[in-house]
Amino acid sequence: MTRVTVLGIETSCDETAAAILRLEDGKTTILSEIVRSQIEEHAPYGGVVPEIAARAHADVADKVVAAAIRDSGLSLQAIDGIAATSGPGLIGGVMVGMMTGKAIALATGKPFIPVNHLEGHALSPRLASDCPFPYLLLLVSGGHCQFIEVKGLGDYTRLGTTIDDAAGEAFDKLAKLLGLGFPGGPAVERTAMGGNPGRYKLPRPLLDRAGLDMSFAGLKTAAARIIEAGSLDEQDKADLCASYQAAIADCLSARAGRALDGFRGGKDGKRLVVAGGVAANTAIRQALEAVAEANGAVLIAPPLKHCTDNAAMIALAGAERLVEGSVPSEAMTFSSRPRWPLDEQSAATNPVYGGGKRGAKA
Ligand code: KG4
Ligand code: ZN
């Protein structure tokens, strides 16, 4: 019998989160989880401001961790390891979470586990559903938009990625152009409800090309032109949001279909997992559901609170690594990484993603 209890800490973007999770013979129990969102701090700027994020994490990280420990009913000594997001992300925030985790590890003598934030998302369906390896993951958030084949713990192949904006970023940009507020995705989805998705003909970039890469920057430019061309009334705005959302749903589902086509799946069939904040979008989920069904696969979407940034997924990644004995050596001297591709191999060899001094983009 294996049983590990791990404290997870997440601070890579605009949520300060801590969770305590137990992994016992492959079964996951979340004992506590706290998420403190910074949306109010960033809303006046229409996007996440890195310096404000770092300061806000520094203000509350210790309190959020203390609250998670208190809610779990456990003492710190009952915890077997401390996992913290150590990249990729906004570096000020990542450093706050990682240093908090290292300090607790040092004080308690428990192991510290540096976790790749993308690995947390990749494993997030395993928090609740019965989701054995392998599966195909579509990670769609404000910072990421990529297809990953998840073959096992630490065994990831990135099949395609956006070459410019992430899908969530595209939603946020349209919301900003229309003055709908931040975060943009939910606002665009609400506005789209009364709209006609066929009204505006918007581009579906890269869809005529082979491979699984995506592009969303041209979509934002096309929408900006429509907005600049004349004052839009409420119905026009609804139609534009619906058309824009449909274009993103088409791009993601067409790519998902192609990805599923080339994916062999496991003994028990094919699973397509969608994670990241954009997975909250109903039109996108429906489009993915349809394409999964058409390809003989099941769509798994973690509950919303585990689609967006959270610490339970970081604790799970730490717990799985602790059980497997694959905690990186030198964990206590691990440096936070603003860029940290899950699949370093494909990032390093594909010229589209760029290398440079700072390393390949995540
Ligand atoms: O995963 P997440 O919470 O944070 C990271 O970016 O890592 O994702 C946030 C992104 C934002 O861009 C937000 O606009 C988008 O997810 N989002 C949505 C919806 N809810 C959140 N996009 C479309 N429709 C939604 N309902
Ligand atoms: Zn994330």
Side-chain angles (χ1 to χ4, degrees):
M1 191 179 94
T2 55
R3 179 172 125 158
V4 294
T5 306
V6 170
L7 163 65
I9 302 173
E10 159 59 37
T11 53
S12 67
C13 190
D14 58 344
E15 261 101 25
T16 316
I20 307 229
L21 170 141
R22 180 163 288 156
L23 184 62
E24 188 167 4
D25 293 331
K27 191 176 171 301
T28 302
T29 312
I30 297 168
L31 301 176
S32 65
E33 75 181 305
I34 309 275
V35 180
R36 197 256 178 212
S37 165
Q38 301 173 359
I39 281 184
E40 280 175 21
E41 281 99 321
H42 300 292
Y45 306 94
V48 177
V49 183
E51 183 60 23
I52 293 177
R55 288 175 191 219
H57 287 304
D59 277 349
V60 300
D62 56 343
K63 299 177 193 74
V64 169
V65 169
I69 295 167
R70 190 192 57 227
D71 285 5
S72 73
L74 298 178
S75 72
L76 256 185
Q77 280 315 315
I79 287 163
D80 302 305
I82 296 101
T85 296
S86 302
L90 301 175
I91 201 63
V94 171
M95 284 168 66
V96 169
M98 197 184 73
M99 296 314 288
T100 305
K102 284 184 177 177
I104 298 171
L106 200 62
T108 57
K110 307 285 178 175
F112 173 71
I113 311 145
V115 170
N116 183 317
H117 178 79
L118 301 173
E119 178 167 75
H121 278 301
L123 300 178
S124 63
R126 295 163 64 82
L127 283 169
S129 322
D130 180 20
C131 190
F133 302 121
Y135 48 88
L136 195 67
L137 173 80
L138 168 59
L139 174 59
V140 264
S141 68
H144 304 285
C145 190
Q146 46 189 279
F147 282 100
I148 299 165
E149 188 176 338
V150 181
K151 289 172 277 190
L153 183 67
D155 191 359
Y156 314 106
T157 304
R158 187 172 61 186
L159 306 173
T161 185
T162 178
I163 58 167
D164 41 54
D165 294 345
E169 205 174 351
F171 274 109
D172 293 336
K173 285 182 173 173
L174 177 65
K176 202 166 183 176
L177 287 170
L178 289 173
L180 298 177
F182 172 80
V188 170
E189 183 171 22
R190 266 194 310 279
T191 310
M193 272 175 191
N196 170 7
R199 161 92 185 275
Y200 293 101
K201 302 282 168 264
L202 295 170
R204 268 77 173 151
L206 295 191
L207 271 202
D208 53 344
R209 291 218 211 140
L212 291 171
D213 284 340
M214 294 161 277
S215 161
F216 296 101
L219 194 53
K220 181 215 130 188
T221 310
R225 285 214 193 93
I226 292 167
I227 294 164
E228 281 156 20
S231 59
L232 303 185
D233 66 19
E234 292 310 305
Q235 189 57 50
D236 297 333
K237 286 184 188 171
D239 292 345
L240 182 57
C241 285
S243 303
Y244 196 89
Q245 180 173 273
I248 294 178
D250 278 357
C251 291
L252 293 175
S253 58
R255 283 293 187 251
R258 187 176 287 173
L260 280 169
D261 196 36
F263 174 56
R264 286 181 51 212
K267 287 193 297 290
D268 52 346
K270 294 184 188 181
R271 280 171 289 276
L272 171 65
V273 173
V274 57
V278 180
N281 187 284
T282 307
I284 290 173
R285 276 199 199 213
Q286 282 170 350
L288 293 172
E289 196 115 18
V291 84
E293 203 187 319
N295 284 277
V298 270
L299 179 74
I300 297 177
L304 192 55
K305 66 175 178 179
H306 294 146
C307 271
T308 53
D309 287 349
N310 67 87
M313 68 185 192
I314 304 303
L316 176 61
E320 293 212 22
R321 286 196 170 270
L322 215 50
V323 168
E324 274 225 344
S326 58
V327 175
S329 56
E330 324 272 332
M332 283 300 270
T333 51
F334 189 93
S335 296
S336 49
R337 293 183 60 176
R339 293 179 174 198
W340 185 2
L342 245 197
D343 176 358
E344 310 236 24
Q345 192 66 23
S346 91
T349 52
N350 190 330
V352 172
Y353 311 136
K357 279 206 299 283
R358 291 185 292 163
K361 287 186 179 175

